[in-house]
Amino acid sequence: MDGATSTPELGSVIVGVDGSKPARQAALWAAAEAVRRERPLHIVYGADTDIRALYFSVESLERVRRAGRELLDSTAAAVTEQFPGLRAKTEFSRSAPVPSLHRSAGLHGTIVVGSRGAGGFSTLMLGSVGLKVAAGAKTPVIVVRGIDNGAESGVVLAAVRDEHDLDTTRYAAREAELRKGSLRLLHVWSILQSVGSVATFLDDVKEIASEHVHHLNTVANQIREEFPDLTVQVDVEKGTSVAAALVEASHQTDLLVMGGRRSPSHLGPTLGRATHSLLHHAHCPVQLIVRHKDEHRSEA
């Protein structure tokens, strides 16, 4: 593991809006995050008018433009009313929402999206735009979920698989610092993942468990060294499903931070099975950090 300190740069916050209630909630959450970071908020509406121009009338396109700009203005007014010192700028993009958000994020921005979009299927747990934004992410993406009760626990949860998640955990530590809260590191492992379906001896289980604890403690010790004023809790859990354990842990969490795979998969270059499940089912906002290392490894 690289022992060099590499405090992550938390850049500006970019939020996508589409007129839906989840997007409005995401905009307000993003505004609070921008205030914590002391960064500007960039509100983006991807109108996709370049494509629509091929089959929409001039009058229809003008209605789309007017509605989009009105939405941007009303969203900016709402966030600055709640956060008077916040610098909020708006962008009406002629491109589709996904490339608009990725482009606006640049190299260091964090993209924030709502848990559902403005499409007609309100029962979907994550809208297609949010899923595509997360799947193709090259910078951090936050899907805002589970904020309706307004309660805050002061805890940021980092999902840690091994030492390669150190960079991801650094992001979680920075988020905990900004909130003046604590950091919980959680590693979940399964006997079936470790030894397959063949029965194993008790000594084997103890050895496997010890190895998992070692991986987590290696990350925890580095974080404690780099963030000496931060309270860090370390937990290792054994279960049949990594995603289910993380969903349960998200009940008492303000933000769940986890790494996304970079190897190609049918879910996209960033989403594996566990991250995909968390984006759909977590009880708190989920921050997905691109995991550049161990590209050959698969994700649970």
Side-chain angles (χ1 to χ4, degrees):
M1 183 181 66
D2 184 3
T5 300
S6 179
T7 302
E9 177 180 349
L10 299 183
S12 58
V13 181
I14 299 90
V15 62
V17 295
D18 60 8
S20 65
K21 180 180 177 181
R24 183 81 162 196
Q25 292 174 323
L28 292 172
W29 190 96
E33 178 72 7
V35 170
R36 282 189 288 266
R37 296 185 181 191
E38 298 181 344
R39 296 282 187 169
L41 177 67
H42 190 172
I43 308 169
V44 178
Y45 177 76
D48 203 15
T49 52
D50 285 346
I51 298 298
R52 295 186 186 193
L54 299 176
Y55 51 90
F56 272 35
S57 67
V58 174
E59 292 78 11
S60 296
L61 286 174
E62 183 55 35
R63 284 195 293 271
V64 170
R65 295 187 186 101
R66 185 166 55 249
R69 292 191 173 98
E70 288 175 356
L71 174 61
L72 288 169
D73 290 343
S74 65
T75 305
V79 298
T80 53
E81 179 181 2
Q82 188 162 334
F83 304 95
L86 176 65
R87 290 180 293 142
K89 59 181 180 178
T90 62
E91 177 188 349
F92 179 93
S93 173
R94 298 185 308 177
S95 303
V98 174
S100 297
L101 290 168
H102 284 157
R103 182 177 60 250
S104 298
L107 297 176
H108 302 291
T110 296
I111 301 173
V112 178
V113 294
S115 59
R116 288 194 299 270
F121 298 95
S122 61
T123 56
L124 291 179
M125 291 164 286
L126 179 62
S128 61
V129 169
L131 194 60
K132 291 176 182 177
V133 167
K138 295 182 180 179
T139 61
V141 172
I142 298 175
V143 175
V144 177
R145 308 182 48 83
I147 60 172
D148 292 336
N149 57 13
E152 294 185 353
S153 65
V155 177
V156 172
L157 174 66
V160 181
R161 284 164 286 189
D162 53 36
E163 290 94 332
H164 292 297
D165 273 322
L166 177 58
D167 286 341
T168 296
T169 310
R170 286 182 175 125
Y171 273 95
R174 288 288 292 118
E175 293 285 4
E177 277 192 331
L178 291 177
R179 290 163 171 75
K180 297 179 172 57
S182 61
L183 175 65
R184 181 188 179 195
L185 309 185
L186 177 59
H187 174 83
V188 183
W189 68 283
S190 167
I191 294 179
L192 295 180
Q193 289 178 349
S194 299
V195 299
S197 59
V198 180
T200 186
F201 293 108
L202 181 60
D203 288 344
D204 295 328
V205 175
K206 289 181 178 179
E207 183 178 348
I208 293 168
S210 177
E211 181 180 352
H212 284 279
V213 171
H214 171 74
H215 288 315
L216 184 58
N217 283 336
T218 299
V219 174
N221 291 338
Q222 185 70 28
I223 292 298
R224 288 183 176 120
E225 180 179 337
E226 296 179 17
F227 301 86
D229 297 327
L230 184 64
T231 299
V232 180
Q233 177 185 345
V234 177
D235 290 309
V236 176
E237 294 185 6
K238 177 170 64 69
T240 57
S241 169
V242 174
L246 291 172
V247 167
E248 180 62 27
S250 71
H251 275 288
Q252 301 299 323
T253 302
D254 291 344
L255 179 67
L256 191 160
V257 183
M258 64 188 308
R261 69 193 300 175
R262 288 303 299 164
S263 56
S265 75
H266 65 286
L267 298 175
T270 302
L271 295 186
R273 291 187 297 274
T275 50
H276 187 271
S277 296
L278 266 294
L279 292 179
H280 283 83
H281 299 289
H283 299 282
C284 70
V286 178
Q287 183 175 28
L288 184 63
I289 307 297
V290 176
R291 200 178 194 227
H292 294 284
K293 300 177 181 179
D294 76 322
E295 295 186 356
H296 63 284
R297 295 174 62 95
S298 62
E299 179 190 344

